[in-house]
């Protein structure tokens, strides 16, 4: 990030005044297509898509050097089953059944990759049908669970990735996934975890995307308040069941070709269908541009939990603590862990600024190419959100006595650095 881009970003967030980015709005007319890496800079992406929180698709030129595009695909553009079997056949992978609805998702089982590929071959030979159903390999943590070959190179546009930087620091998890499945597999209507951004690259195959900007999903709720499972279902035409449907703009539709890379903005609901046998690499990520969205999401999640168990508020000992425990089991994170997430990223940025490193001096899979301007911007975003966290009544009920650094102390450090780097 250069100085001009940082100033542009800070001005953008001053105008928002703490409100989540990318609120209710009309669906854009189209998804921009980015043709050439040579003429598209990080600043172009940051100003044109990341800050405005709108989708775009990058051409296959951006991924042509990836190892997976050479090794995982046959000369005819199909999945290279034999290569995958040789290298990963004995790996246990998660598999969803697209033909079975479980709430607004699909039930999962685990199997060896070789067994899934055997199923996939049989599914193709059976005319894309099987008595076992339509099975989709989803959320395989290849990079976490094995010493993966040269699968991909993290695009610079997505290099400010706090979510994976945090989990890499803890060395216990990540949000990097492999998806693969036959034509007809699909992901139901959803928004990504924590209101994260995501990016998705088709190693082979084609996908059809349906996008709805933040707020549009409210018009898709049924008469009971539930969101749809499948936005292509004829049931949505029933005005008695979906009384607000007429107020929803048509989705933004996109067909993603092999090698292309889709940027999915924060809080955008979407549904995705594989039009061909497809393998994709997908990352969820959070940074200073959607941190306020993540914090807003967590507040909503806690309120939902509190409402569900409100009848026990006066009789359950440590009711507030139990709400945080329930929230973590449902959402994967609670207020305490969110603070630790902010703290780890803040400490890494403060260290960078203290050393006065130049651009490109941070190393690590989720921190490449981040220089002092990016670090100063990150610190300013953490300070703003942390101030809201510290002032939140429910966070004030969290026991922080064992924290290695008290939230108020960290906030003071950050605010001092924000002031000191204002003219950096």
């Amino acid at each position: 990030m250069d100085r001009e881009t940082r100033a542009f970003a800070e001005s953008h967030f001053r105008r928002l005044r703490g409100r989540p980015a990318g609120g209710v709005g009309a669906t854009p007319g189209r998804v921009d297509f980015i043709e050439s890496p040579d003429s598209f800079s990080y600043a172009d992406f940051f100003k044109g898509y990341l800050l405005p929180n709108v989708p775009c698709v990058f051409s296959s030129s951006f991924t042509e050097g990836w190892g997976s595009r050479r090794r995982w695909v046959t000369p005819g553009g199909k999945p290279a089953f034999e290569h995958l079997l040789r290298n990963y056949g004995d790996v246990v992978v998660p598999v969803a059944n697209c033909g079975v609805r479980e709430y607004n998702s699909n039930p999962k089982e685990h199997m060896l990759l070789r067994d899934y590929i055997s199923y996939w071959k049989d599914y193709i030979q059976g005319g894309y049908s099987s008595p076992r159903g339509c099975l989709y390999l989803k959320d395989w943590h290849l990079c976490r669970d094995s010493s993966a070959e040269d699968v991909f190179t993290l695009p610079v546009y997505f290099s400010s990735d706090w979510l994976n930087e945090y989990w890499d620091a803890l060395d216990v998890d990540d949000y990097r996934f492999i998806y693969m499945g036959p034509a007809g597999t699909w992901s139901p209507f959803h928004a990504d975890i924590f209101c994260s951004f995501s990016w998705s690259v088709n190693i082979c195959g084609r996908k059809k995307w349906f996008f709805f900007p933040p707020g549009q999903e409210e018009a898709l709720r049924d008469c009971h308040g539930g969101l749809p499972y499948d936005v292509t279902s004829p049931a949505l035409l029933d005005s008695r069941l979906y009384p607000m449907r007429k107020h929803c703009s048509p989705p933004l539709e996109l067909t993603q070709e092999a090698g292309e890379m889709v940027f999915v903005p924060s809080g955008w609901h979407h549904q995705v269908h594989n039009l061909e046998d497809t393998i994709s690499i997908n990352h969820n990520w959070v940074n200073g541009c959607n941190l306020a969205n993540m914090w807003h999401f967590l507040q909503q999640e806690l309120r939902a939990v509190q409402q569900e168990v409100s009848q026990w508020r006066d009789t359950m000992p440590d009711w507030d603590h139990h709400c945080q425990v329930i929230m973590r089991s449902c959402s994967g994170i609670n207020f305490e862990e969110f603070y630790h997430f902010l703290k780890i990223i803040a400490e890494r940025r403060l260290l960078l600024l203290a050393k006065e490193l130049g651009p490109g001096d941070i190393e690590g899979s989720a921190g490449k190419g981040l220089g002092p301007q990016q670090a100063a911007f990150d610190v300013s975003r953490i300070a703003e959100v942390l101030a809201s966290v510290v002032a939140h009544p429910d966070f004030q009920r969290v026991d922080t006595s064992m924290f290695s650094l008290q939230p108020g102390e960290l906030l003071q450090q950050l605010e001092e650095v924000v002031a000191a780097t204002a003219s950096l």
Side-chain angles (χ1 to χ4, degrees), residues 144-279:
R144 182 191 70 187
D145 295 337
S146 68
S147 54
E149 57 188 324
D150 172 28
V151 174
F152 71 96
T153 302
L154 182 67
V156 65
Y157 314 103
F158 314 134
S159 56
S160 179
D161 175 356
W162 300 5
L163 200 57
N164 287 299
E165 182 178 356
Y166 170 70
W167 285 111
D168 286 350
L170 299 184
D171 196 26
V172 294
D173 204 353
D174 70 358
Y175 284 88
R176 308 177 181 99
F177 306 106
I178 307 296
Y179 283 47
M180 58 177 72
T185 48
W186 65 295
S187 293
F189 186 64
H190 69 285
D192 288 328
I193 187 169
F194 307 145
C195 270
S196 60
F197 299 124
S198 66
W199 59 264
S200 177
V201 173
N202 282 352
I203 303 306
C204 64
R206 303 167 71 236
K207 292 181 186 287
K208 180 66 173 287
W209 293 75
F210 299 89
F211 283 110
F212 294 84
Q216 287 286 319
E217 76 279 0
E218 294 303 320
L220 294 175
R221 291 190 182 275
D222 62 25
C223 56
H224 306 291
L227 289 172
Y229 171 70
D230 178 4
V231 293
T232 68
S233 170
L236 268 73
L237 300 176
D238 185 341
S239 60
R240 293 170 299 179
L241 185 57
Y242 292 93
M244 299 296 291
R245 176 68 179 86
K246 61 184 178 182
H247 301 295
C248 184
S249 299
L252 189 60
E253 298 186 20
L254 165 69
T255 299
Q256 178 189 14
E257 304 292 341
E260 292 181 350
M261 178 166 61
V262 171
F263 165 61
V264 182
S266 173
W268 282 60
H269 280 70
H270 51 282
Q271 184 169 308
V272 192
H273 296 256
N274 289 326
L275 304 178
E276 299 175 354
D277 297 332
T278 300
I279 300 175

Side-chain angles (χ1 to χ4, degrees), residues 284-327:
N284 293 101
W285 49 299
V286 170
N287 62 25
C289 294
N290 64 339
L291 184 64
N293 294 22
M294 182 179 182
W295 170 229
H296 180 70
F297 164 79
L298 295 178
Q299 293 173 77
Q300 289 181 315
E301 291 294 288
L302 181 60
R303 283 196 295 270
V305 169
Q306 290 171 334
Q307 185 174 354
E308 285 294 317
V309 299
S310 59
Q311 67 193 84
W312 294 289
R313 183 165 199 152
D314 297 328
T315 58
M316 179 186 292
D318 298 323
W319 182 84
D320 292 295
H321 172 72
H322 285 295
C323 287
Q324 293 284 342
V325 171
I326 295 169
M327 176 188 174

